[in-house]
Amino acid sequence: MKNNVLIVGAGLVGSMLACYLSKRGYKVSVYERRPDMRTAGYIGGRSINLALSHRGWKALKEIGLNAPVNEIAIPMKGRMIHDLNGTTNLIPYGKEDQAIYSVSRGELNKLMVVEAEKFKDVSFYFDKRCAAIDFEKNIAAFEDVNTKQLSEAGADIIFGADGAFSEVRYKMQITPNFNILQQHEAYGYKELNIPPAGNGAHRIEKNALHIWPRKSFMMIALPNLDGSFTVTLFAPFKGQNSFDNIRSAEDVSSYFNKNFPDAVPLMSSLNEDFFANPTSSLVTIKCFPWKYKNACLIGDAAHAVVPFYGQGMNCGFEDVKELNDILNTGQEWDTALTTFQNQRKQNADAIADLALYNFIEMRDLSGREDFQLRLKIEKKIAEKFPDKFMTHYSMVTFSDLSYSEAKRRGEHQNELLDKIMAMNSIQSKWESDEVMKLASDWITANSN
């Protein structure tokens, strides 16, 4: 008899997990609080487009989903920095052939559910809110959000893949020795929009992630297939340049014309979008253990991160692939889930820390000439010593290094970059033999 697996959450990680486990021969039931996005449509208004990169692509490829996802993905080869005066500067993410990919969260989620249902023994149940879990009996109770009727479902294994505000995690919090850190930022975000040109073309550079860095706040824009851009304003809830100060159409006009003057002519529905879409919060969640009895958290339910490294989805997809790799070793479920949480926890914590730092980099440092020079130097060293040195961004985004190792190496490499940036006249000699000699000596001394 096949093992039965119950997944709470039909988002990106839940639907990918269903694909992987069905491929292994398990019968999978997926319960989702929201309506079926394929028929009801995806509820927008609080979205940040996803940035799909190496780790995510690798997990998709293993179950044959890289080709269909590629059809809805747009490569972004670098950050396009928009200065206050309207000047733009493209900073490549990596080598010439490297890019991250903009993907609509709604379109990707619909595609993932469609593809998951093509696998044998995968069933989805929508409009079902997780109301209770009996961890001793492996039974979950669900409330129909429309009829309010309760039903129960049993399984051999239960996964909580229901996001940052996971019901499964909430119910697991009362189990023995459960620890949780939930950190809300003083910043929120709001979804806005740049519509396509009349001929359906993109009105600004299509193959870039656009950033308007303004030190304590910023705006970003990611391209969509229809020629539009999903725009997101990140700003403090209160204080200077905050959401609290924008209360009328006049406030919107004044705020955006002052801070993002080159973007305003592109945003024809700015006022409508600003007041129609909610101001949403940013949260980091670290918890442990992820496993209790025969239930386990995965994805954002286990480790929600802020979106500033573009790794939330990629990390969740890597969770699924890593769990599958553990199962491939022949471990039984109880041992496999324990191994999974123990080896994955440190990497989840690392990317959470990296994402928080990258917010500072994006909103403040990316617009500064000294920081842009620092990135050029780091990239030059990586080109000069490709077998011994990688940029920090490449370690996280374009490699198989664990997040914890990427974090450790990046912090260590900052010692070298700090020394180089402190050199006299570095602006004029950053490509010189003197600088490369210093880099070579440091790499040799730290090669172990």
Side-chain angles (χ1 to χ4, degrees):
M1 184 175 179
K2 290 183 179 178
N3 284 349
N4 294 314
V5 177
L6 188 156
I7 300 172
V8 180
L12 300 172
V13 173
S15 54
M16 171 173 277
L17 182 61
C19 294
Y20 267 83
L21 295 182
S22 175
K23 191 176 180 181
R24 298 190 68 88
Y26 296 103
K27 182 177 181 181
V28 184
S29 300
V30 188
Y31 288 78
E32 170 58 50
R33 173 182 53 82
R34 298 170 298 171
D36 188 340
M37 69 285 294
R38 295 167 297 178
T39 56
Y42 188 83
I43 300 173
R46 56 193 311 139
S47 177
I48 303 168
N49 269 32
L50 303 165
L52 183 60
S53 56
H54 173 75
R55 299 172 198 269
W57 283 118
K58 193 172 181 180
L60 288 165
K61 186 175 182 180
E62 190 152 319
I63 49 174
L65 296 188
N66 54 313
V69 172
N70 190 57
E71 294 296 315
I72 61 170
I74 299 175
M76 300 181 293
K77 296 185 178 181
R79 297 172 174 174
M80 183 69 79
I81 306 299
H82 294 248
D83 293 340
L84 191 59
N85 62 10
T87 302
T88 58
N89 179 29
L90 180 65
I91 303 176
Y93 281 125
K95 300 175 183 177
E96 189 173 342
D97 60 340
Q98 289 178 325
I100 62 176
Y101 291 76
S102 176
V103 186
S104 160
R105 182 182 297 273
E107 291 304 312
L108 181 57
N109 205 162
K110 286 189 284 186
L111 182 151
M112 293 293 292
V113 171
V114 168
E115 294 295 333
E117 282 197 329
K118 292 179 181 179
F119 285 81
K120 187 178 180 182
D121 287 334
V122 175
S123 301
F124 284 85
Y125 303 89
F126 293 95
D127 294 311
K128 304 293 184 183
R129 182 185 70 83
C130 183
I133 294 180
D134 187 329
F135 293 109
E136 303 295 330
K137 297 180 179 179
N138 295 343
I139 295 174
F142 295 93
E143 178 190 59
D144 187 291
V145 298
N146 299 310
T147 67
K148 305 304 178 184
Q149 289 185 331
L150 288 174
S151 60
E152 289 187 343
D156 299 298
I157 303 294
I158 298 174
F159 281 98
D162 48 340
F165 299 103
S166 166
E167 289 285 348
V168 178
R169 188 186 66 242
Y170 180 73
K171 292 164 177 60
M172 198 179 282
Q173 285 175 216
I174 62 172
T175 61
N177 301 313
F178 188 92
N179 295 288
I180 183 167
L181 170 65
Q182 180 173 293
Q183 176 183 331
H184 283 271
E185 298 303 311
Y187 284 77
Y189 70 91
K190 186 180 289 287
E191 180 185 328
L192 304 167
N193 178 62
I194 293 176
N199 60 358
H202 292 83
R203 302 178 70 185
I204 50 179
E205 172 58 44
K206 173 183 177 181
N207 298 115
L209 190 159
H210 294 261
I211 306 177
W212 290 259
R214 298 298 182 260
K215 293 190 176 181
S216 63
F217 62 111
M218 70 174 182
M219 190 168 73
I220 67 171
L222 279 75
N224 297 311
L225 291 174
D226 66 356
S228 68
F229 284 81
T230 298
V231 181
T232 311
L233 171 67
F234 296 95
F237 285 114
K238 296 183 179 297
Q240 189 175 11
N241 298 309
S242 69
F243 284 110
D244 193 45
N245 293 330
I246 312 174
R247 304 194 177 193
S248 67
E250 291 76 16
D251 292 339
V252 172
S253 178
S254 175
Y255 185 92
F256 281 84
N257 277 299
K258 176 183 176 182
N259 297 307
F260 314 109
D262 64 323
V264 171
L266 306 172
M267 304 168 73
S268 56
S269 58
L270 175 58
N271 270 308
E272 295 88 335
D273 293 339
F274 192 91
F275 292 109
N277 295 335
T279 304
S280 302
S281 61
L282 297 165
V283 64
T284 298
I285 292 173
K286 299 178 180 180
C287 68
F288 199 79
W290 299 351
K291 172 188 177 293
Y292 182 71
K293 301 291 184 178
N294 292 309
C296 188
L297 304 173
I298 194 167
D300 280 359
H303 49 72
V305 302
V306 293
F308 303 112
Y309 226 119
Q311 288 296 306
M313 172 190 62
N314 293 288
C315 182
F317 282 3
E318 192 174 60
D319 280 355
V320 177
K321 184 183 182 303
E322 194 160 315
L323 174 61
N324 189 65
D325 291 343
I326 293 168
L327 291 171
N328 283 341
T329 67
Q331 295 183 33
E332 296 297 324
W333 271 111
D334 185 66
T335 305
L337 293 178
T338 299
T339 301
F340 169 70
Q341 68 170 2
N342 288 341
Q343 72 183 39
R344 197 72 187 137
K345 166 66 173 169
Q346 62 179 338
N347 293 315
D349 287 351
I351 193 57
D353 295 340
L354 288 168
L356 285 168
Y357 172 76
N358 217 47
F359 184 27
I360 299 171
E361 179 175 314
M362 290 176 72
R363 76 175 191 237
D364 185 355
L365 302 179
S366 66
R368 288 169 39 177
E369 290 185 4
D370 60 335
F371 185 75
Q372 292 176 15
L373 176 61
R374 186 186 182 100
L375 293 183
K376 288 180 181 179
I377 294 170
E378 185 187 28
K379 186 177 180 182
K380 181 71 175 181
I381 297 170
E383 292 171 350
K384 184 79 172 178
F385 308 101
D387 297 329
K388 299 178 181 179
F389 188 97
M390 293 177 66
T391 69
H392 198 187
Y393 189 87
S394 292
M395 284 188 275
V396 173
T397 308
F398 301 124
S399 87
D400 293 317
L401 279 178
S402 67
Y403 287 125
S404 57
E405 178 63 9
K407 180 173 182 280
R408 185 194 69 80
R409 290 194 192 183
E411 290 171 348
H412 190 45
Q413 287 177 189
N414 278 337
E415 297 176 7
L416 168 63
L417 295 171
D418 287 345
K419 289 181 179 180
I420 292 174
M421 290 300 295
M423 294 174 69
N424 291 329
S425 306
I426 186 59
Q427 291 84 357
S428 61
K429 66 178 183 182
W430 65 273
E431 294 183 279
S432 67
D433 291 341
E434 179 187 357
V435 172
M436 291 303 110
K437 175 68 164 55
L438 175 59
S440 178
D441 290 346
W442 186 91
I443 291 170
T444 301
N446 291 273
S447 59
N448 294 326

